[in-house]
Amino acid sequence: MQEKYCSWEEKLKSSGGRLTTPRKIIFYILSSTPKHLSAEDIYFIIHKKNPKVGLTTIYRTLDVLVKIGFLNKFDFGDGHSRYELIEAPNKQHHHHLICRKCSKILDYTDFIEEEIKLVKATEKALSRKYKFEIKDHVFQFYGVCDKCKK
Amino acid sequence: MQEKYCSWEEKLKSSGGRLTTPRKIIFYILSSTPKHLSAEDIYFIIHKKNPKVGLTTIYRTLDVLVKIGFLNKFDFGDGHSRYELIEAPNKQHHHHLICRKCSKILDYTDFIEEEIKLVKATEKALSRKYKFEIKDHVFQFYGVCDKCKK
DNA sequence: CTAGTATTGATAATGATTATCAATAACACT
DNA sequence: AGTGTTATTGATAATCATTATCAATACTAG
Ligand SMILES: [Mn+2]
Ligand SMILES: [Mn+2]
Ligand SMILES: [Zn+2]
Ligand SMILES: [Zn+2]
């Protein structure tokens, strides 16, 4: 029952995928930023050094990374899907504060302990009651950031 | 400092809006269902009895209702924004379970007491720490529903 | 090195949501 | 009830993020 931890490269290959140059670049970009990048964000970053990589490939690679469980896909309501690696240096389980005016996104980890307790209990109860197998959750707070309050 | 409760009609008018036939129909449809309707869902429902009402009007009305604070807009990841009245008969503050396979959405109210406590504490702490004025929140659990487990 | 096939990238297509704008309908005021 | 002002409507076209297509390319097992 013990899952073996493995790198995204291993997971990719073990699922029949190939380790290609665009995929390595895209993963590297994702692992080098604390931001929540959109496909287009990544496209512009890549384009400076690797103008050949197309936007389509970026969308496809993001899908792959989400599918093998190394990437989270978020909708913060600004019209672009945004992505963030699940496991990364200096990154732990966290949630988001989103400014409704400027779309700034803030990671926070306050109350994560309490939250995890609540989530565990909720997952257990909901699984039993609704026969729903819960895989993950998204908590987001919306409001107005410091600067946008004027 | 006491907010006066008022109906959506009052709120609409007090903000300079007009109480029109399409708006009344759309509100009525929203208040008569426990489902989470998309603009297109509403369009098809309306179309049977009022074929004149256009899809554009539906999008605009939904925006208005969100803006005056009577309607929640959700993204459950199926490519359509979905809407649910905030105040409605037989409806209380709740969150959602979403099936990743069939997109079924389930309202749940379990642990709402504990959750409200956590939310209150979180809001207070985050407001102080990040100078972020929190207006609302979205909690969602994702997984696989009973039927989709086969 | 080679065969087999997953992946790429240029391009076109899709589809939900928005913008435009002339025609219409609320409504405040007689 | 009638009128003038102006918010709203609805038909239509436009936008724009994301997907589908498909021939060319590049991984990788053997
Ligand atoms: Mn984050
Ligand atoms: Mn609901
Ligand atoms: Zn802001
Ligand atoms: Zn399901």
Side-chain angles (χ1 to χ4, degrees):
Chain A
M1 274 315 184
Q2 181 73 30
E3 283 273 346
K4 192 170 36 165
Y5 285 101
C6 68
S7 66
W8 72 278
E9 290 101 328
E10 290 171 316
K11 190 77 185 267
L12 180 68
K13 292 197 135 192
S14 76
S15 70
R18 291 176 182 179
L19 194 56
T20 67
T21 305
R23 285 176 178 177
K24 282 188 267 189
I25 298 173
I26 291 166
F27 189 93
Y28 176 73
I29 289 173
L30 287 166
S31 68
S32 315
T33 182
K35 294 184 184 170
H36 308 80
L37 300 177
S38 66
E40 213 182 10
D41 290 339
I42 295 172
Y43 179 67
F44 285 127
I45 294 171
I46 284 193
H47 203 264
K48 295 174 201 159
K49 301 224 163 193
N50 300 78
K52 284 227 195 120
V53 179
L55 184 55
T56 312
T57 298
I58 295 171
Y59 275 107
R60 280 185 298 224
T61 299
L62 292 170
D63 276 353
V64 168
L65 291 174
V66 168
K67 209 158 286 166
I68 65 175
F70 279 78
L71 190 64
N72 269 332
K73 179 179 186 177
F74 292 105
D75 173 61
F76 295 125
D78 67 342
H80 307 254
S81 293
R82 296 188 169 276
Y83 299 84
E84 180 175 38
L85 282 179
I86 292 171
E87 316 194 24
N90 309 321
K91 192 162 280 183
Q92 50 179 311
H93 179 74
H94 66 271
H95 293 309
H96 297 114
L97 282 178
I98 300 136
C99 176
R100 279 240 153 85
K101 293 205 174 164
C102 71
S103 293
K104 184 162 85 170
I105 299 156
L106 221 131
D107 292 351
Y108 74 88
T109 52
D110 308 73
F111 294 97
I112 287 293
E113 285 308 319
E114 287 91 325
E115 184 216 289
I116 287 174
K117 262 183 224 160
L118 177 63
V119 167
K120 284 246 172 73
T122 307
E123 286 185 349
K124 201 172 195 176
L126 296 183
S127 293
R128 182 155 350 111
K129 189 165 173 185
Y130 301 108
K131 306 264 192 299
F132 211 103
E133 189 186 332
I134 291 168
K135 293 278 180 59
D136 51 57
H137 62 267
V138 171
F139 288 8
Q140 299 180 340
F141 284 95
Y142 289 88
V144 184
C145 80
D146 194 16
K147 286 186 181 170
C148 289
K149 277 190 286 188
K150 272 175 266 92
Chain B
M1 275 312 180
Q2 181 74 30
E3 283 273 345
K4 195 176 24 170
Y5 286 100
C6 66
S7 66
W8 72 279
E9 289 101 329
E10 289 172 317
K11 191 77 185 269
L12 179 69
K13 292 197 135 190
S14 75
S15 69
R18 289 175 184 180
L19 194 55
T20 67
T21 305
R23 287 177 177 175
K24 281 187 266 190
I25 298 173
I26 292 166
F27 189 93
Y28 176 73
I29 289 173
L30 287 166
S31 68
S32 316
T33 182
K35 294 185 184 171
H36 307 82
L37 300 177
S38 68
E40 213 182 9
D41 290 339
I42 296 171
Y43 180 67
F44 285 126
I45 295 171
I46 283 192
H47 204 264
K48 295 174 205 161
K49 299 225 164 192
N50 301 76
K52 284 229 196 121
V53 178
L55 184 55
T56 313
T57 297
I58 294 171
Y59 275 107
R60 280 185 297 224
T61 299
L62 293 170
D63 277 353
V64 168
L65 291 174
V66 169
K67 208 158 286 167
I68 65 174
F70 279 79
L71 191 64
N72 269 333
K73 179 180 186 176
F74 292 105
D75 172 61
F76 295 125
D78 67 341
H80 308 254
S81 294
R82 295 188 170 276
Y83 301 83
E84 181 176 34
L85 281 180
I86 292 172
E87 316 194 23
N90 309 322
K91 192 163 281 183
Q92 51 178 309
H93 179 73
H94 66 271
H95 294 309
H96 297 112
L97 283 178
I98 301 138
C99 176
R100 279 241 152 85
K101 294 203 173 165
C102 71
S103 293
K104 184 162 86 169
I105 299 156
L106 220 130
D107 293 351
Y108 74 88
T109 52
D110 307 72
F111 293 97
I112 288 293
E113 282 310 317
E114 286 91 327
E115 184 218 289
I116 286 173
K117 262 183 222 159
L118 178 61
V119 167
K120 284 247 172 72
T122 307
E123 284 185 353
K124 200 172 196 177
L126 297 182
S127 292
R128 182 151 351 109
K129 188 166 174 184
Y130 302 108
K131 306 264 192 302
F132 210 103
E133 189 186 333
I134 292 169
K135 295 277 179 60
D136 50 58
H137 62 268
V138 171
F139 288 8
Q140 300 180 340
F141 284 95
Y142 290 89
V144 184
C145 80
D146 194 16
K147 287 187 181 170
C148 290
K149 277 190 283 188
K150 271 175 268 94

